[in-house]
Amino acid sequence: MFAAYVMVTVVTIVATAGIALADFTGAGFVLANSAEVGLSPSWIPLLGWLKAAGAVGLLLGLLGVPLVGLAAAAGLVLFFVGAVVAHVRARVFHNIAFPGGYLALAIGSFTLAAVQ
């Protein structure tokens, strides 16, 4: 079970850090997606910091601070639930798999951290 926890959490860290980096660099797909769901571009840096904090928290969980890892995973679950809700509210379904995929990774990380 520990191996699954490490694998899922590492994938979640890499994916979340990657999308946070895309937020910080103002990647075109991030700006286009945020416009589609009605999110002001001024929110993107803050959302990037929240994602980055989640990735760092997951890493700390792997490095021996399990409660921080669990809290980070819970925070990412809530964050990506919000992203899915934003897509549904705006009726933007053509790319809902992306926040859904991040949500699935966060749920997996949370679940596996909780049973450690």
Side-chain angles (χ1 to χ4, degrees):
M1 187 67 98
F2 183 75
Y5 162 65
V6 171
M7 289 181 358
V8 170
T9 302
V10 167
V11 170
T12 306
I13 290 167
V14 170
T16 305
I19 197 64
L21 182 60
D23 288 353
F24 295 143
T25 61
F29 73 92
V30 170
L31 297 174
N33 188 50
S34 65
E36 280 187 282
V37 299
L39 179 69
S40 169
S42 65
W43 281 89
I44 295 173
L46 173 63
L47 298 179
W49 282 112
L50 292 172
K51 294 172 196 170
V56 169
L58 290 177
L59 179 61
L60 289 172
L62 285 178
L63 296 176
V65 191
L67 289 179
V68 171
L70 187 63
L76 286 172
V77 168
L78 294 174
F79 182 94
F80 290 116
V81 163
V84 169
V85 167
H87 276 72
V88 170
R89 179 189 53 80
R91 299 184 195 282
V92 177
F93 300 112
H94 67 91
N95 62 358
I96 199 166
F98 289 102
Y102 290 109
L103 175 59
L105 287 171
I107 290 170
S109 293
F110 177 79
T111 302
L112 292 168
V115 299
Q116 289 305 308

